[in-house]
Amino acid sequence: MLQSLGGIQVRAAPTSRRSSRRVVSVVRADAKEIMFDTGARSKLQSGINKVAKAVGVTLGPRGRNVVLEQQFGMPQVINDGVTIARGIELVDPIENAGAQLVKEVAGRTNDSAGDGTTTAAILAKEMIHFGLQAVTAGANPVNIKKGIDKTVEYLVAKLKENAKPVEGREDIKNVATISAGNDESVGVMIADALDKVGSDGVLSIETSNSLETTVDVQEGMEIDRGYISPQFITNQERMLVEFDNARVLVTDQKLETARDMLGLLEQSMKLNQPLLIIAEDVTGEALATLVVNKMRGILSVCAIKAPGFGERRKALLQDIAIVTGSEFIAKDLGMKVESASVEQLGTARKITAGNNFCTVIADMASKDEINLRVAQLKKDLAETDSVYDSEKLAERIAKLSGGVAVIKVGAATETELDEKKLRVEDAKNATFAAVEEGIVPGGGAAHLHLSELVPAFKETLESDEERLGADIVMKALAAPLRQLSQNAGLEGEVVVQRVLGKAFEFGYDAMNAEYKNLMEAGVIDPAKVTRSGITNAAGIAGILLTTQAVLVEKVAPKDIPGGMTKEGMPAGMTI
């Protein structure tokens, strides 16, 4: 049927009675179970206690391992707090909600400091335990939370005052050893790696193909791009391009014609030095010209594509230009490769390029330029919230200032390998945390001595309920030392009373069962780890104390037909 709309003929679809009917679909939401007040909080606390107890047995040098069942493959035997917490799922949905809160504490501490997750979980459990006692007795949870927050802020400031900077290799070794569960070989390995790459370097952890754990230091700047054509290869046996004392061209332009590079190639030939070209791409006539000159022996040359993408590509090319002392020929600035001179080329002492990598070792860089660039990258690193950006910025800082050390972890079995890798990861994170914010006495001593500062601060708080919050923090801070002592087979409260009232550095060395100056004995923790544990535990405790109701999905009973098992098999039959 034709209809006319403003002189234009439009075919209209025939109408029918069926098309006028509306179809209404009804979506039914799942039923929710709601619990209020004391009942809700006690169930949440029960879940928190289960996770904290499972995690707590791993604390200290005499802590035990926990076996985690895996859906596929071998079970994990580990003593890493955050991994254990993440592996726990409880049947009761409200208890499980409490368990998730402890996971959050451990996860946050792991993200910010990389270690101390077990201590953070124990602190959260204790703060919640004492806090719920006060709330049940009728105290206002909002005021208690204020008291907790003010006390923690005061204690963090005092912790920074008492922290001492890392001085030399021995401190680094001690921090890594303690964090790796008193494994001195791991401590020595990380101290060796940091000696070689510096505090701005990157420590990467990989799986070794052998039984031994080794440290490999990658000298120079590694680019994750290889040669464009295999015709550039100089070492046929190893399939590598190897240049000594080479010149380097760095540009973000695409080279397609021979004219683009002719002047530069002629000047390079007179220098009688190999040439490495790093460009967005080298194709067509330009690539053919390079290959022909290389094969005829006229010029030693190699071309690789620029690493990265978009804005990151430009930033990486600028880094390479600074390291090699070359001028970055950027199209944004109107510069062209065809008008470039040899004075704009950089110099590299050694270049090694493979199919998918290129390592540039250069000594011509200006120290001032590198320090300026590193300072700028550190500022960007402090401002970014993205984990991906943080990793990439840290890599760039390492490549500019120090280098990259790879710790290859080896073990006899897969289960042992997983456990060892987690310990090395903890030790690495703790070491960098110590370099960043300094060190304090370990073994729970720093927490206990901080608790002794609370009574004086409590007098400055306005309300009685805020003072209750300060008391909660004070009591909770004794828990790490108490748990560590219990894991060592001692009565925790007795050890706590022996350490109370002594100097800030004094504590209990659980490995050797001695009371001593822990800083002198090398039993030390990073201040950042201690600070992160206290602040994250207090944050979650405050949230839970102000909780009044919990909503979870109601678990519907499964309808099992008569004569069938819950797995759906006929009852009474065997297969």
Side-chain angles (χ1 to χ4, degrees):
M1 186 172 109
L2 292 174
Q3 292 180 350
S4 179
L5 296 174
I8 300 172
Q9 298 292 312
V10 180
R11 184 172 293 277
T15 59
S16 68
R17 287 191 179 184
R18 282 190 181 181
S19 62
S20 63
R21 289 180 186 170
R22 288 196 308 162
V23 179
V24 179
S25 60
V26 178
V27 179
R28 187 174 175 179
D30 291 332
K32 294 283 191 291
E33 188 176 344
I34 308 174
M35 285 194 79
F36 296 95
D37 304 333
T38 310
R41 286 192 289 265
S42 63
K43 277 243 177 183
L44 287 170
Q45 188 183 8
S46 175
I48 288 163
N49 289 347
K50 285 178 181 177
V51 177
K53 192 173 181 183
V55 168
V57 298
T58 67
L59 187 66
R62 295 184 183 273
R64 308 296 194 268
N65 289 338
V66 172
V67 178
L68 272 184
E69 182 201 18
Q70 300 292 307
Q71 198 168 0
F72 304 102
M74 292 289 291
Q76 278 186 298
V77 184
I78 50 173
N79 69 348
D80 180 54
V82 69
T83 311
I84 295 162
R86 284 173 180 162
I88 295 174
E89 292 286 337
L90 301 178
V91 176
D92 187 292
I94 299 178
E95 286 188 1
N96 195 50
Q100 300 305 318
L101 290 172
V102 180
K103 286 187 194 182
E104 178 71 6
V105 173
R108 277 192 198 177
T109 307
N110 190 58
D111 291 343
S112 59
D115 194 20
T117 53
T118 302
T119 305
I122 290 167
L123 285 171
K125 175 206 160 195
E126 290 296 309
M127 285 185 194
I128 289 163
H129 169 68
F130 292 118
L132 287 179
Q133 281 182 355
V135 171
T136 307
N140 185 335
V142 176
N143 288 338
I144 288 176
K145 184 180 184 301
K146 281 182 186 175
I148 289 173
D149 291 343
K150 287 178 182 177
T151 308
V152 166
E153 190 180 340
Y154 169 76
L155 292 179
V156 165
K158 288 293 179 186
L159 184 73
K160 287 178 179 175
E161 284 177 24
N162 285 286
K164 294 182 179 176
V166 171
E167 293 173 358
R169 187 177 186 281
E170 195 62 25
D171 280 350
I172 287 172
K173 189 198 87 171
N174 289 336
V175 169
T177 300
I178 295 293
S179 189
N182 274 68
D183 188 339
E184 197 170 332
S185 63
V186 173
V188 170
M189 202 178 301
I190 285 177
D192 287 344
L194 273 184
D195 277 348
K196 291 170 184 172
V197 300
S199 60
D200 288 326
V202 166
L203 285 183
S204 157
I205 296 165
E206 295 177 4
T207 302
S208 172
N209 294 325
S210 67
L211 298 178
E212 293 181 1
T213 302
T214 57
V215 180
D216 294 337
V217 177
Q218 297 170 353
E219 193 184 3
M221 176 178 269
E222 185 161 308
I223 304 164
D224 57 353
R225 293 285 188 275
Y227 45 69
I228 292 174
S229 169
Q231 303 296 338
F232 295 132
I233 289 171
T234 58
N235 185 332
Q236 295 292 342
E237 188 180 335
R238 297 176 61 199
M239 296 296 284
L240 295 174
V241 176
E242 293 177 336
F243 290 155
D244 291 320
N245 192 26
R247 304 308 292 263
V248 182
L249 168 70
V250 183
T251 179
D252 60 351
Q253 297 171 34
K254 197 172 183 179
L255 306 179
E256 295 177 310
T257 64
R259 192 181 64 213
D260 291 342
M261 307 176 301
L262 212 54
L264 202 59
L265 292 177
E266 286 174 355
Q267 292 176 69
S268 298
M269 195 168 65
K270 290 173 186 174
L271 291 172
N272 198 25
Q273 284 180 290
L275 176 65
L276 173 69
I277 297 171
I278 303 172
E280 185 182 323
D281 203 357
V282 182
T283 57
E285 191 186 6
L287 181 60
T289 302
L290 294 178
V291 169
V292 167
N293 281 284
K294 160 69 178 66
M295 292 181 72
R296 290 181 178 175
I298 298 168
L299 187 68
S300 289
V301 67
C302 177
I304 68 169
K305 288 184 181 181
F309 303 94
E311 285 303 312
R312 190 168 163 265
R313 171 175 283 177
K314 285 183 186 175
L316 288 169
L317 287 172
Q318 285 169 349
D319 291 349
I320 296 166
I322 289 169
V323 167
T324 56
S326 60
E327 189 175 338
F328 176 40
I329 300 170
K331 55 188 172 189
D332 290 357
L333 302 175
M335 301 169 79
K336 291 185 178 179
V337 174
E338 58 189 271
S339 56
S341 63
V342 287
E343 286 76 24
Q344 292 172 291
L345 299 180
T347 308
R349 176 162 55 87
K350 185 171 178 62
I351 289 169
T352 307
N355 182 36
N356 54 7
F357 76 94
C358 177
T359 305
V360 179
I361 300 171
D363 302 327
M364 296 299 291
S366 158
K367 283 288 177 191
D368 292 338
E369 279 190 35
I370 284 183
N371 291 338
L372 199 67
R373 186 72 167 173
V374 168
Q376 181 193 337
L377 290 175
K378 282 183 177 176
K379 188 183 173 189
D380 293 343
L381 183 61
E383 291 172 358
T384 185
D385 294 327
S386 164
V387 175
Y388 176 79
D389 288 346
S390 298
E391 286 176 1
K392 294 302 174 188
L393 285 167
E395 270 182 36
R396 285 174 60 197
I397 291 168
K399 287 174 179 178
L400 280 167
S401 57
V404 178
V406 181
I407 298 175
K408 295 188 175 177
V409 182
T413 65
E414 194 176 332
T415 306
E416 186 188 351
L417 179 67
D418 288 343
E419 191 265 344
K420 199 169 183 181
K421 272 180 86 173
L422 286 170
R423 281 197 287 116
V424 173
E425 185 78 39
D426 279 351
K428 179 198 89 168
N429 292 333
T431 304
F432 281 112
V435 169
E436 196 176 330
E437 291 188 18
I439 51 175
V440 292
H447 296 90
L448 187 67
H449 291 310
L450 285 175
S451 75
E452 295 180 85
L453 305 174
V454 174
F457 172 73
K458 194 169 72 169
E459 300 305 317
T460 65
L461 297 174
E462 296 169 6
S463 73
D464 289 338
E465 286 171 338
E466 285 188 4
R467 292 189 194 104
L468 258 179
D471 280 335
I472 287 164
V473 175
M474 183 177 73
K475 290 174 188 172
L477 286 172
L481 177 56
R482 193 182 298 116
Q483 180 70 52
L484 185 143
S485 307
Q486 285 170 0
N487 289 347
L490 299 173
E491 182 58 50
E493 198 55 46
V494 173
V495 176
V496 167
Q497 293 304 320
R498 286 280 300 271
V499 176
L500 273 174
K502 302 291 194 300
F504 192 79
E505 293 82 10
F506 185 83
Y508 177 65
D509 178 0
M511 192 66 188
N512 300 307
E514 293 173 358
Y515 295 92
K516 58 172 77 165
N517 184 318
L518 297 181
M519 296 293 274
E520 290 176 2
V523 181
I524 48 182
D525 280 341
K528 186 178 182 181
V529 169
T530 306
R531 174 184 63 78
S532 298
I534 295 170
T535 51
N536 291 330
I540 293 296
I543 290 168
L544 192 127
L545 293 180
T546 51
T547 299
Q548 197 68 12
V550 182
L551 278 77
V552 292
E553 281 191 16
K554 198 167 187 176
V555 181
K558 289 185 179 178
D559 294 327
I560 301 169
M564 304 289 278
T565 64
K566 63 179 180 178
E567 287 82 15
M569 298 295 292
M573 293 184 68
T574 56
I575 295 176

